Amino acid sequence: MPVNVFLNGRYCEEHEAMVSVDDRGFLFGDGVYEVIRCYRGALFKLQEHLSRFARSAAGIDLVLPYSAEEIAAICKTLLDKSGTKNGMLYMQVTRGSAPRTHEFPSVVTPTIMMKVREIDEQFFREKKKGVSVLTVPDERWEHCDIKSLNLLPNVLAKQKARSQGFHEAVFIHEPGVTECASSNIFIVTGGTVVTAPEGNRILSGITREVVLKLAGEAGIPCELRYPQKNELYKAEEVFFSNTVEEIIPVLAVDGNVINQGKPGNITLRLQEMFKKLVDIETS
Ligand code: PLP
């Protein structure tokens, strides 16, 4: 078994990694996490992910046990030790382990864990041709910008979508279409790329940021506002983005076919630009 886990200062094999039953991540979801892609053994947008990790931790008053530089070094060492080339690194920090009380324990040491694994490239290549999605009510809390371990509404939304044969669940909240269970969503209308603005209703995706930058470079106009549900149905193109899946065309929303069931030109262009950027930054 390869060494693929880092836990509280120690690199080890997965079966050697043990966390207390009193860990507040386990009991309360009292922690935050990150997911980072690696290509050819190099971590993509590492600094951006580490900045968001620090913001998420600060958002729940959790002091990280290491500096950003130390965490970056641990990520790279773990990746090297595991021998992973194309995969993902999952990182989470919890407030730590202490007898169960809702309030923060007066003395507690955070639990920090990282795990790497290879990615099934073939699975994602298929999805890049397009998927269908289901809209669901956004029943999450008011701090969706914090990448917290409390993912139950996301888990239930994704399960609802998957159990009905849809790939992703799209959240609808009061201002409109917010994001998806594990991705940011974009529509193209009148040639403009539209996606929800940063704020407490969405997780500010690292891939979303890259998509907006690439669209800008390509001269494609972008607008930050909440698309309405009927706009989603009638859009010229729809796609979503996240770290693991990158950019995925949406070919139908609640059974309404988009762009005659084919990925749109802007989506394809952005997919191509994204691939080039990854190649440049990780080779
Ligand atoms: N929104 C949610 C709710 C997510 O869980 C994710 C990723 O998991 C994203 C958006 C996309 O973020 P990123 O591009 O940083 O992976």
Side-chain angles (χ1 to χ4, degrees), residues 74-239:
I74 295 167
C75 290
K76 287 175 188 160
T77 305
L78 180 62
L79 204 61
D80 284 351
K81 281 184 185 288
S82 72
T84 305
K85 296 290 173 231
N86 293 307
M88 54 176 271
L89 185 150
Y90 177 85
M91 173 193 315
Q92 90 168 34
V93 63
T94 74
R95 203 170 307 277
S97 166
R100 186 179 183 280
T101 57
H102 282 63
E103 72 276 18
F104 300 171
S106 47
V107 182
V108 70
T109 310
T111 302
I112 185 158
M113 180 275 280
M114 293 177 205
K115 180 182 164 185
V116 288
R117 69 173 167 88
E118 286 283 343
I119 269 176
D120 177 0
E121 297 266 11
Q122 183 53 34
F123 174 80
F124 291 109
R125 245 196 303 279
E126 276 308 303
K127 297 295 166 207
K128 285 212 181 65
K129 295 177 190 161
V131 300
S132 60
V133 299
L134 177 73
T135 61
V136 296
D138 188 345
E139 293 170 343
R140 298 173 301 159
W141 69 334
E142 296 297 322
H143 303 284
C144 303
D145 50 323
I146 298 174
K147 204 164 166 63
S148 117
L149 297 181
N150 283 275
L151 287 174
L152 200 49
N154 308 55
V155 166
L156 295 177
K158 183 81 98 183
Q159 177 57 24
K160 185 174 179 189
R162 290 288 170 94
S163 66
Q164 295 178 40
F166 298 94
H167 181 73
E168 178 62 300
V170 183
F171 287 131
I172 312 288
H173 201 267
E174 178 43 27
V177 177
T178 54
E179 59 177 341
C180 301
S182 61
S183 55
N184 294 109
I185 191 156
F186 303 73
I187 67 167
V188 179
T189 176
T192 298
V193 171
V194 181
T195 194
E198 281 188 301
N200 68 327
R201 289 263 32 109
I202 69 159
L203 180 77
S204 178
I206 305 301
T207 325
R208 170 187 174 280
E209 215 41 57
V210 173
V211 165
L212 291 172
K213 188 158 177 284
L214 293 175
E217 282 168 23
I220 302 164
C222 296
E223 207 180 322
L224 300 181
R225 64 172 175 84
Y226 295 98
Q228 297 306 298
K229 192 167 159 179
N230 65 330
E231 286 188 286
L232 199 60
Y233 293 160
K234 293 186 295 191
E236 288 142 28
E237 302 181 30
V238 179
F239 62 91

Side-chain angles (χ1 to χ4, degrees), residues 215-275:
E217 282 168 23
I220 302 164
C222 296
E223 207 180 322
L224 300 181
R225 64 172 175 84
Y226 295 98
Q228 297 306 298
K229 192 167 159 179
N230 65 330
E231 286 188 286
L232 199 60
Y233 293 160
K234 293 186 295 191
E236 288 142 28
E237 302 181 30
V238 179
F239 62 91
F240 65 77
S241 72
N242 68 32
T243 292
V244 175
E245 298 172 289
E246 303 170 348
I247 298 171
I248 303 286
V250 171
L251 307 184
V253 183
D254 295 343
N256 297 279
V257 176
I258 311 293
N259 193 40
Q260 296 160 333
K262 291 187 296 241
N265 289 338
I266 290 183
T267 310
L268 291 171
R269 175 104 193 264
L270 290 168
Q271 277 184 327
E272 199 183 297
M273 291 178 82
F274 189 89
K275 187 177 179 314

